[in-house]
Amino acid sequence: MPLLTLSVQMSKQSLPKELETLLRLTKPKIDELSYETILKQITSSFNWTYFLERAIATNLAGYLLPYPEIGRQYFPPFVDDQIRGYQRKIQLHSSFLREAILEFVPQLDRAKIPYALLKGWDLHFRFGISLKERQISDIDLLIDAKDLDQVQAFFEQLGYTTTRYVYKSKWHERYLSKHAPLHIFMGIVAIDIHTHSFSQEHKLQLELNLSEREFHLVDQIPIALLDKNEAALFGLLHFAKHFKSGKTLKVGMLQDLHLYSQLLDRQNSKAQSYQSLLAQIEELLAAIATNQLNTSKRFDEVFLRHLTGSRPSSKGKRIDFSNRLKPKTSFVNSLVLAFFDLFPNKKYLEAHFGRGSYFKLWRLRLEKALGFAQGK
């Protein structure tokens, strides 16, 4: 695997040619001439296997064929075949999800349950993003928190299996509530039901308004999306959350950042509250465009580790560790939460370890934590 070149003085990262080329070829709205010029510049020393590995691992592979016939001329046959196979796979999966959306959305309307689609499906229905380019693994559906029980019953009547998030204590439910407390499944269709924009632990307060939705007509079916500014701000803050935590960042969603950055009105009152985070995203996008990523910057470091598949830098590890230690609420509440982390309620233990006495289930949890047993 090619190594990153590190300048100690400036902490600037020079990407391997394979990764630099990957980012250049998947640049949003790349024109035909630029695309072919980049491919022509690839030399015989280029590591196509590494290029392909990272393209698929980062979900950028879907964006590698904006001009398929040109791509076929320059990509080695095994690379071209793998990219096209990847695109067919994600398109097929997303097509099942899209079909499910078009089936249940009219029924949600008839039941008078307000909703809005988020993330990948917002992008697909708002901008027409191709399902063979942008991987969409599930459906994110925003509802009003007061409708949660009704929504759970609604999907169960349609034949879906539902799983409600079980809190360790009432204290956890109050001070560390989850943004998506209900998960719904049927075959390969998975739906996350959101009642809030973010979990409380993320410390990002963004109220999403279901009374000011936009409706996009798809096959004569009105599809509800958030107001464009709320959708854009939520999308950008969603990525900022991952950059801050250092976890589960999907590099392939760079395209989302570009689209939402262009859509957002920076003068919007809600956006004004997050100017610092939005500025960091703009700086990251500029650094990627100019190949000037700097590991001393948090967003750059997290992006690089996920792009390359490498471990966090020393500074990144320190920040990750500090984030884990940082209290998620007030000091007093943190003490109470810590107690229930150690001694959760029986409902929580039963959800993870089955039925039995509290002591038996607590012991099973302890054994699992120590590596002696597995919860169900």
Side-chain angles (χ1 to χ4, degrees), residues 31-300:
D31 63 82
E32 189 173 341
L33 178 60
S34 299
Y35 181 74
E36 186 168 15
T37 300
I38 294 167
L39 289 170
K40 282 181 177 179
Q41 293 172 345
I42 295 175
T43 65
S44 59
S45 62
F46 194 86
N47 187 337
W48 283 107
T49 301
Y50 177 59
F51 170 86
L52 181 63
E53 174 211 324
R54 296 315 305 161
I56 292 175
T58 58
N59 300 133
L60 285 170
Y63 299 100
L64 278 172
L65 293 174
Y67 307 101
E69 294 309 313
I70 295 177
R72 193 184 294 276
Q73 294 177 41
Y74 294 95
F75 287 123
F78 83 95
V79 173
D80 188 65
D81 288 346
Q82 289 280 339
I83 294 171
R84 291 172 190 269
Y86 172 86
Q87 290 188 332
R88 287 192 297 269
K89 179 182 176 182
I90 65 172
Q91 184 177 30
L92 178 62
H93 179 79
S94 297
S95 295
F96 282 110
L97 300 181
R98 189 179 191 273
E99 184 178 332
I101 290 171
L102 296 180
E103 286 180 358
F104 69 66
V105 154
Q107 298 182 68
L108 277 173
D109 289 334
R110 285 195 291 272
K112 301 188 183 306
I113 301 174
Y115 74 92
L117 290 165
L118 304 173
K119 301 182 186 179
W121 290 110
D122 176 87
L123 291 160
H124 172 69
F125 290 119
R126 187 183 300 277
F127 297 106
I129 285 183
S130 171
L131 297 181
K132 71 178 182 180
E133 293 181 347
R134 207 278 194 186
Q135 184 187 41
I136 309 178
S137 56
D138 58 10
I139 300 167
D140 292 283
L141 194 70
L142 175 70
I143 65 164
D144 193 308
K146 67 179 175 55
D147 295 330
L148 188 59
D149 291 337
Q150 185 183 0
V151 168
Q152 183 170 4
F154 168 86
F155 278 103
E156 287 175 351
Q157 288 175 2
L158 294 181
Y160 286 82
T161 300
T162 65
T163 303
R164 197 82 162 251
Y165 184 83
V166 179
Y167 290 94
K168 294 177 182 177
S169 68
K170 289 292 185 182
W171 217 266
H172 281 80
E173 186 172 3
R174 180 176 179 181
Y175 293 104
L176 289 180
S177 63
K178 298 295 182 183
H179 63 289
L182 179 62
H183 303 286
I184 297 171
F185 308 92
M186 181 190 288
I188 65 171
V189 176
I191 308 172
D192 285 346
I193 301 297
H194 296 241
T195 55
H196 299 88
S197 54
F198 300 101
S199 297
Q200 285 180 281
E201 63 186 276
H202 296 135
K203 297 184 178 180
L204 290 169
Q205 300 297 323
L206 177 64
E207 186 174 345
L208 300 176
N209 191 349
L210 286 173
S211 65
E212 298 181 6
R213 295 170 292 166
E214 299 178 4
F215 289 88
H216 294 243
L217 203 60
V218 180
D219 298 343
Q220 303 305 309
I221 298 171
I223 301 294
L225 307 177
L226 291 172
D227 164 79
K228 67 176 185 179
N229 276 308
E230 287 201 352
L233 185 56
F234 170 73
L236 292 168
L237 292 181
H238 174 71
F239 295 113
K241 174 191 78 174
H242 290 296
F243 284 126
K244 288 175 67 178
S245 70
K247 300 176 182 177
T248 60
L249 175 69
K250 297 179 181 178
V251 175
M253 294 182 183
L254 271 177
Q255 303 272 343
D256 303 9
L257 289 180
H258 284 280
L259 289 169
Y260 281 140
S261 291
Q262 294 168 9
L263 184 66
L264 181 66
D265 176 7
R266 294 293 194 281
Q267 302 308 310
N268 178 272
S269 58
K270 291 184 178 180
Q272 289 289 316
S273 303
Y274 292 100
Q275 288 304 308
S276 176
L277 280 177
L278 295 174
Q280 290 180 70
I281 291 174
E282 292 295 334
E283 289 175 9
L284 171 68
L285 293 176
I288 293 169
T290 57
N291 194 17
Q292 292 292 314
L293 291 161
N294 187 330
T295 55
S296 67
K297 296 181 178 180
R298 174 63 172 177
F299 282 23
D300 292 28

